[in-house]
Amino acid sequence: MWNVDPTLVDAAQVTRAAYAEAFERVTGVPLVYLAPTAGRTDSEIFFEFFARNDVDGEPGEEPLAAYLDALAEGFARRRDQLTARGRAAQGAREALAAVAAMDDTVQTVVTGTIMPNAVAKLAAFGLDAHLDLAIGGFGSEHYPKASLIQFTRMRAGEAKGAAFPEESTVYITDSVRDVEAAVIGRAAPIAVLSGSATESQLRAAGAGQVLPDLTDPQAVVSAVRRATALPG
């Protein structure tokens, strides 16, 4: 399992513009104060926005469903900006291909981004070819990352007719919160240094392996083998 932003793709500029448009559209209030996004789902981010930006409303009346719909629409209108204002992580395509070549391996994503936006980001940079996105976990589901990891493992088993035990499951990500989610969700976390956290922070959160980047596909494969005790 892979995190999407920014482990595989950096589309922060386009995403922030879509956040701002969707938030003002459904609340009538400009998005002035941002919130941390690393390791959070789009639903969690919305509630942070709601709390920080002086929106009037009774508890339980936050228009989350309308916001997520508006976020998908706003992002779709900006899809043509992805390659100009975003980028794939260096080595991401090669790393995905290398892991896909491993025997008995299925790759998908677990991301806080809602499904249509995550799919658009990956497709824009040709990163979807080696991923089974039909079984992925997305921010559209309104669950924390640890639960998404568990649900994704169960979906994979049902879809493929094969067992994917906890000890065979890996989550590759770059944030402390995601590493912690992997530990709770019982997937071995492999961390990648993207600048969002230091190596010591990632190891303290539970990452037994930390890669400097994705530019060495064989290093990624070796990390997966070590995390799952696969021979190689």
Side-chain angles (χ1 to χ4, degrees):
M1 293 181 278
W2 292 81
N3 180 48
V4 175
D5 305 88
T7 309
L8 293 174
V9 174
D10 180 358
Q13 292 184 42
V14 179
T15 301
R16 282 195 296 267
Y19 280 154
E21 178 188 304
F23 186 81
E24 185 164 7
R25 178 175 164 185
V26 301
T27 67
V29 175
L31 181 61
V32 177
Y33 299 103
L34 299 176
T37 60
R40 289 173 166 81
T41 66
D42 280 341
S43 299
E44 291 175 297
I45 293 166
F46 169 73
F47 289 122
E48 289 267 4
F49 288 163
F50 200 90
R52 290 173 179 234
N53 286 273
D54 298 324
V55 179
D56 293 327
E58 296 298 322
E61 291 185 355
E62 300 90 346
L64 176 60
Y67 169 77
L68 295 180
D69 287 343
L71 182 59
E73 293 168 10
F75 197 88
R77 285 194 295 274
R78 294 173 170 83
R79 287 186 65 167
D80 61 346
Q81 301 176 22
L82 283 169
T83 53
R85 303 179 66 191
R87 62 178 180 85
Q90 192 173 11
R93 189 176 296 106
E94 294 79 8
L96 288 166
V99 175
M102 298 173 66
D103 293 338
D104 301 320
T105 300
V106 175
Q107 291 188 104
T108 189
V109 299
V110 172
T111 174
T113 303
I114 58 174
M115 186 173 186
N117 296 3
V119 171
K121 292 174 186 179
L122 293 164
F125 298 99
L127 301 181
D128 54 341
H130 298 294
L131 295 165
D132 186 344
L133 298 177
I135 61 172
F138 300 90
S140 322
E141 300 180 85
H142 309 170
Y143 294 107
K145 283 280 189 76
S147 296
L148 288 177
I149 289 169
Q150 294 172 324
F151 292 152
T152 299
R153 183 165 47 230
M154 289 188 289
R155 282 193 203 107
E158 293 170 359
K160 306 299 180 181
F164 292 94
E166 294 173 355
E167 61 269 19
S168 305
T169 309
V170 170
Y171 187 39
I172 303 176
T173 186
D174 64 282
S175 81
V176 167
R177 282 174 61 96
D178 278 354
V179 169
E180 292 170 343
V183 173
I184 295 169
R186 298 190 179 277
I190 297 174
V192 181
L193 293 173
S194 70
S196 66
T198 65
E199 179 174 352
S200 60
Q201 289 171 328
L202 292 164
R203 289 192 182 279
Q209 301 182 75
V210 181
L211 301 173
D213 51 39
L214 300 176
T215 57
D216 184 347
Q218 290 311 307
V220 178
V221 168
S222 295
V224 172
R225 291 192 184 282
R226 285 192 295 271
T228 56
L230 290 172

